[in-house]
Amino acid sequence: MKKLSARRRHPLAAVVVLLLALAATGGLYAAFAPAGKAQADETAQSLAIDEGKKLYTVGCASCHGTGGQGTTDGPSLVGVGSAAVDFQVATGRMPAQQPGAQVPKKPVIYTQAEIDQLAAYVASLGAGPITPTDKQVDPAGADVAKGGELFRNNCAQCHNFTGKGGALTKGKYAPDLEGVSPKHIYEAMQTGPQSMPSFPDTTMPEQQKKDIIAYIQTVNGEESESPGGLELGGLGPVSEGLFAWIFGLGALVAIAIWVAAHTAKAKKS
């Protein structure tokens, strides 16, 4: 009986066998994979920053400084974040063709991959607003009515009631928002480009930004109707009726004066 008990397996023998089996099948690698993935992501980010720095040196440093500190020709980029870079470069506003009151939208000269690299480098200069994900900018299920209320209270003063844009002071203007992608509208609210104020999540939460995007897309969509006929910036049928009344009545008065003047001349002759 003593010999039989001496030959019994050690309590940890099964654990050792299981570990050996996992090692043989790659189980241990899977257990440590998250650390490897994090290291791979860090390496990819470092490569993106390096490539972005090369692009920055060629296309941006002459105005914004070699380290993004800014010059007399361009503001500092420290702390603007990747969202500002994506908005400015992906809409063609940057690099700027020439200095002026406001940099206009124009054809994009970088690929999205290059824009991401530029954004990664600028983001490494200082913390700032991060480029939003597709989920963050997706207006599906958003409250259009609430978005309209938010837009009228915060945006219509410059962009008009339906986002048609308008003139500002000193040669600046609020651009037309029709056809602008949800991502770029979201980034503009995050970063406040040009004369626009910024609306960070602490001021305007993500859901409210989605509501505004949904409103802009709805009022500028193909299914949107204008019951008053002429849009006049989407001010509505009351303002359109007033416009027709004032100019229509003015035209009638002008015609009446012209007829009266020519009638008096005819009687004199």
Side-chain angles (χ1 to χ4, degrees), residues 97-172:
Q97 288 181 331
Q98 59 187 13
Q102 184 163 326
V103 181
K105 182 179 179 180
K106 58 184 184 298
V108 184
I109 64 173
Y110 291 102
T111 66
Q112 187 58 51
E114 291 173 331
I115 294 171
D116 293 340
Q117 291 168 349
L118 271 172
Y121 171 68
V122 173
S124 71
L125 301 177
I130 301 172
T131 305
T133 63
D134 292 340
K135 183 179 180 181
Q136 285 179 288
V137 303
D138 185 6
D143 189 335
V144 177
K146 181 64 176 177
E149 180 183 345
L150 290 166
F151 188 88
R152 288 188 292 273
N153 289 335
N154 297 282
C155 317
Q157 298 91 330
C158 296
H159 288 283
N160 194 285
F161 290 86
T162 56
K164 298 298 183 183
L168 301 176
T169 59
K170 298 181 180 179
K172 298 180 181 180

Side-chain angles (χ1 to χ4, degrees), residues 20-55:
L20 290 173
L22 286 172
T25 59
L28 286 177
Y29 173 78
F32 292 104
K37 184 178 184 299
Q39 186 176 4
D41 290 343
E42 185 177 348
T43 302
Q45 183 70 5
S46 297
L47 290 173
I49 292 173
D50 290 342
E51 292 300 317
K53 185 176 182 179
K54 295 175 184 176
L55 293 168

Side-chain angles (χ1 to χ4, degrees), residues 10 47 60 89 93 161 181 263:
H10 192 278
L47 290 173
C60 314
V89 181
R93 289 177 168 86
F161 290 86
S181 72
T263 303

